Amino acid sequence: MCGIVGYLGSQGAYSILIQGLKRLEYRGYDSAGVALIDGTGSLNIHKAKGKVANLEQTAAAGNTDGLIGIAHTRWATHGEPNDINAHPHVSQSGNIALVHNGTIENYAVLKQLLCEQGYTFKSETDTEVLVQFIDYIHASSDCTLVDAVRETLLQVEGAYAIAVIEKNNPDRLIVARKSSPLVIGVGDGETFIASDATPIVGYADKVIYLKDNELAVIERDKAISIVSIDSNTPTKIDVQKLKLSLAQLEKGGYDTFMLKEIFEQPKTLRDCLRGRITDNGSRVVLSGVELNKETFLNAERITLVACGTSWHAALIGKRLIQDFCRIPVEVEYASEFRYSNPVLGPKDIVISISQSGETADTLAAIQIAREKGAFVYGVCNVVGASIPRNTDSGTYIHVGPEIGVASTKAFTGQVTVLTLLALAIGQLRGTADSDTVKSVCKSLMQLPEILEETLKCDPEVQKLSRIFTYAHNFLYLGRGYNYPTALEGALKLKEISYIHAEGYPAAEMKHGPIALIDHEMPSVIIAPSDSLYDKIISNVQQVKSRGGAVVAIVSRGNTAMNDIADFCIEIPEVPECLTPIVASIPLQLLAYYIAVGKGKNVDQPRNLAKSVTVE
Ligand code: M6R
């Protein structure tokens, strides 16, 4: 949700910033911009609507010199995507340039105050208010720019990660954050800043994750200083080793990141499972559970909070925890939970699920849960992100950077970790019998090979996708463990192909949605051989007898659906609780090929951003 990059060092900043923006483009791509201070002390700004490539074209005609600069790729919140609303924004004095990720909630009040002081505005953004307010405090109270930034941030309500440069000082970069991520890359005589570590990979191998409410001053040839915004006192600087490689950020021969990430799943699940099942395959070992045995033994309820695809994983997690742990489980959208005045106490465990670890609603939900005394456990992918840093304990899914906006490998990683978690808690509480644990562990260990086998459906799904490229609506139906799989399949299709799709519990069709069925409304039925298979067969017959085309995802060798469905895609047979992982592979491929057939940009679908760091 907006990406920011900055550089201060001895190399030309422009190419580093552009490269950084391209790596951050998954966060937003409505418009992009860059601000540089050149050797003559002139502040040069270039902006363009659309992708970073457009910015490069625009900037090519101007001055891109300078050893210091800041840059931004935008996901619009205040004001439509256009050149004027693009960042960086510059103060009225022309001295200060700023980029911002987040939302300033009280911007209207601050803007009014500035207007009364004679300030005028060019854009519709909350960010321009921020830079003008810094300028106003700087000019009116004879303080340093660093103090003016800090004073301004004390007035601001909302979320921000910002980077600020001053025309008269080509040797200093000021950055600060509250509820939006910011990473500082520490190189040899050069410093990088970015919304996440990806732009820093290949340039620096040490990073500082700025904490909430911190402001850092980065000066040429000086040590970085970090203070608390509230108290203006120095805070402890924790320099960490960056564990990301360039190969992880590249497409590896695939046309798109999404396709690479779909095909990577055998490997990513191997990474996710590594070291988490004992060598003899009889037990799950999760340090987050081992270290908090008393909490898991005494828990009276578990609440799962998440958004989007992670929420679908949470729905599967509910089934898993109920089945293996026999504890009451609730699932909440983080965005609803945070405003629901939830009843929570010390015997509650709240599990937050998030790929990015930066989703604003999920972060707010866990903050509330902690305030109310619940134990908060995180299931996250991005190491060092805000969510894992704000939870009591947790488990990383370790599936590597997910760059395609539509989540694929993170979903299967989340469901795998939730399976491990449910088994680990069930073992501890004595609610999961050892034979069941062993049998699920055995299948989990075989999952990478099973997914390799599943991915062989690729050519068949690709062929099938051509039949449905021009459908306007789709239904995805499933039951039990696979009702959430249906929701996830529908979300994948919506996100990248812009076809309207709805996920529904198959048996609920007869209570209304069946009215939608006609020959123009295809249904995708997730029907592996599980405990509800016979039931779903009759649900499919109800659809078929009303003229709707049916694509069924079935377990290999199960032929009962052949006579009913129009098309069957076979997946390997696995224990019921693992069917969502396997069944989601053909659904990801189907959405992918339909979207590609329609000529859509699957990695950067319209209106979406990978990491939703605003409310
Ligand atoms: O990073 P998170 O898992 O917290 O993100 C949650 C959702 O924004 C995310 O899953 C979104 O729905 C994806 N675009 C789904 O493909």
Side-chain angles (χ1 to χ4, degrees):
M1 195 108 314
C2 297
I4 64 184
V5 203
Y7 175 76
L8 171 63
S10 53
Q11 303 187 57
Y14 176 72
S15 56
I16 293 172
L17 295 174
I18 290 291
Q19 154 104 300
L21 286 184
K22 285 185 178 164
R23 290 196 196 158
L24 284 183
E25 223 173 0
Y26 72 88
R27 299 179 69 92
Y29 31 81
D30 293 339
S31 56
V34 58
L36 300 143
I37 305 170
D38 72 7
T40 68
S42 112
L43 176 64
N44 296 305
I45 313 279
H46 308 285
K47 300 182 187 190
K49 183 181 170 182
K51 303 264 167 77
V52 176
N54 298 2
L55 171 65
E56 278 182 289
Q57 275 178 6
T58 309
N63 180 350
T64 56
D65 293 344
L67 308 178
I68 179 170
I70 52 177
H72 188 269
T73 178
R74 180 169 185 248
W75 187 86
T77 55
H78 297 68
E80 66 173 90
N82 60 28
D83 294 1
I84 294 173
N85 289 332
H87 301 211
H89 289 282
V90 179
S91 62
Q92 196 160 287
S93 63
N95 287 331
I96 307 165
L98 177 146
V99 289
H100 166 222
N101 168 29
T103 30
I104 306 303
E105 286 164 9
N106 61 337
Y107 81 102
V109 178
L110 301 178
K111 189 170 184 177
Q112 176 64 31
L113 196 150
L114 289 166
C115 289
E116 284 160 14
Q117 300 300 319
Y119 279 82
T120 55
F121 292 82
K122 292 186 184 129
S123 77
E124 302 155 271
T125 65
D126 52 343
T127 304
E128 193 183 4
V129 176
L130 202 53
V131 71
Q132 301 280 42
F133 209 87
I134 293 170
D135 185 81
Y136 165 62
I137 301 227
H138 189 36
S140 62
S141 60
D142 195 27
C143 64
T144 64
L145 182 67
V146 176
D147 286 336
V149 172
R150 201 179 67 78
E151 283 299 322
T152 299
L153 296 177
L154 289 174
Q155 313 287 325
V156 156
E157 287 164 23
Y160 53 79
I162 58 164
V164 183
I165 53 173
E166 187 182 20
K167 188 178 169 181
N168 304 330
N169 191 346
D171 299 321
R172 184 183 58 193
L173 193 58
I174 304 167
V175 295
R177 71 155 277 184
K178 184 182 165 201
S179 304
S180 289
L182 200 94
V183 187
I184 302 172
V186 186
D188 193 9
E190 55 187 357
T191 310
F192 307 80
I193 62 111
S195 296
D196 67 38
T198 54
I200 296 166
V201 177
Y203 292 107
D205 58 6
K206 283 181 278 177
V207 287
I208 300 165
Y209 293 98
L210 205 64
K211 296 187 205 77
D212 249 3
N213 201 35
E214 283 186 340
L215 179 149
V217 180
I218 299 155
E219 288 184 279
R220 199 179 294 280
D221 303 327
K222 286 194 187 161
I224 296 168
S225 74
I226 304 183
V227 296
S228 146
I229 295 170
D230 287 340
S231 64
N232 202 15
T233 51
T235 57
K236 189 170 167 284
I237 300 181
D238 180 14
V239 183
Q240 300 183 21
K241 190 148 177 46
L242 180 59
K243 292 186 192 130
L244 264 181
S245 70
L246 269 181
Q248 287 176 299
L249 305 178
E250 284 162 359
K251 287 187 196 152
Y254 287 92
D255 287 346
T256 62
F257 281 109
M258 184 175 172
L259 196 61
K260 175 194 172 209
E261 286 157 7
I262 292 174
F263 273 88
E264 247 177 8
Q265 289 174 100
K267 177 192 176 298
T268 56
L269 288 201
R270 199 169 282 125
D271 293 343
C272 173
L273 288 161
R274 186 165 296 122
R276 288 170 168 172
I277 295 175
T278 54
D279 288 344
N280 63 4
S282 64
R283 284 179 67 76
V284 171
V285 187
L286 282 187
S287 57
V289 176
E290 298 286 313
L291 294 170
N292 298 286
K293 279 187 181 152
E294 286 306 307
T295 309
F296 282 99
L297 277 171
N298 295 329
E300 289 180 353
R301 181 176 52 170
I302 293 181
T303 305
L304 300 154
V305 293
C307 302
T309 285
S310 302
W311 184 79
H312 298 153
L315 291 176
I316 299 165
K318 173 180 173 158
R319 300 287 307 220
L320 289 159
I321 296 169
Q322 261 175 207
D323 279 354
F324 294 125
C325 315
R326 308 307 299 146
I327 308 178
V329 190
E330 288 173 19
V331 180
E332 300 266 1
Y333 284 115
S335 53
E336 290 297 315
F337 179 83
R338 63 184 291 190
Y339 294 114
S340 67
N341 192 15
V343 180
L344 292 171
K347 299 242 162 137
D348 276 290
I349 296 178
V350 171
I351 301 179
S352 66
I353 305 164
S354 173
Q355 187 285 130
S356 62
E358 300 293 350
T359 300
D361 286 318
T362 312
L363 257 171
I366 64 176
Q367 203 169 331
I368 287 163
R370 291 189 82 180
E371 279 162 20
K372 291 186 180 266
F375 177 83
V376 179
Y377 198 90
V379 173
C380 185
N381 187 33
V382 178
V383 177
S386 300
I387 290 177
R389 283 190 286 116
N390 284 285
T391 44
D392 295 300
S393 186
T395 304
Y396 281 113
I397 64 171
H398 286 315
V399 299
E402 190 180 66
I403 295 175
V405 165
S407 190
T408 51
K409 62 176 181 172
F411 175 71
T412 50
Q414 288 166 340
V415 179
T416 302
V417 161
L418 289 166
T419 313
L420 292 167
L421 193 57
L423 290 172
I425 305 170
Q427 276 166 194
L428 182 71
R429 292 173 66 105
T431 45
D433 74 86
S434 56
D435 285 345
T436 312
V437 175
K438 263 190 215 157
S439 129
V440 179
C441 281
K442 188 171 170 218
S443 299
L444 276 170
M445 289 192 299
Q446 291 165 346
L447 259 188
E449 287 73 32
I450 292 171
L451 289 200
E452 261 158 32
E453 195 53 39
T454 314
L455 282 160
K456 290 185 183 156
C457 69
D458 176 72
E460 194 189 343
V461 177
Q462 191 169 0
K463 208 164 129 199
L464 182 66
S465 72
R466 292 187 202 118
I467 300 168
F468 294 108
T469 306
Y470 296 101
H472 293 297
N473 298 286
F474 256 94
L475 275 173
Y476 283 70
L477 307 175
R479 297 193 68 165
Y481 271 100
N482 286 302
Y483 160 50
T485 317
L487 293 176
E488 175 58 9
L491 177 63
K492 286 292 86 82
L493 188 71
K494 277 188 267 217
E495 288 190 285
I496 58 171
S497 73
Y498 319 144
I499 295 175
H500 168 247
E502 262 191 75
Y504 231 80
E508 276 295 301
M509 285 293 286
K510 56 188 176 292
H511 299 290
I514 203 159
L516 294 168
I517 298 291
D518 63 15
H519 67 282
E520 288 185 353
M521 171 69 99
S523 298
V524 178
I525 321 273
I526 299 104
S529 305
D530 60 14
S531 56
L532 291 169
Y533 181 72
D534 292 339
K535 306 276 175 201
I536 209 167
I537 288 260
S538 56
N539 302 141
V540 178
Q541 262 153 344
Q542 290 155 11
V543 171
K544 236 1 260 176
S545 55
R546 282 157 183 87
V550 168
V551 177
I553 312 292
V554 297
S555 299
R556 181 151 303 147
N558 194 335
T559 50
M561 198 68 93
N562 289 357
D563 296 335
I564 311 168
D566 299 271
F567 307 95
C568 286
I569 298 168
E570 292 192 343
I571 54 170
E573 189 158 0
V574 286
E576 184 160 350
C577 65
L578 301 183
T579 51
I581 297 174
V582 182
S584 57
I585 302 288
L587 301 184
Q588 294 168 353
L589 289 169
L590 184 64
Y592 178 83
Y593 286 118
I594 290 179
V596 168
K598 289 173 71 101
K600 304 299 177 201
N601 180 340
V602 295
D603 282 340
Q604 295 175 343
R606 71 181 181 206
N607 304 341
L608 295 179
K610 183 73 185 159
S611 183
V612 185
T613 57
V614 295
E615 257 205 88

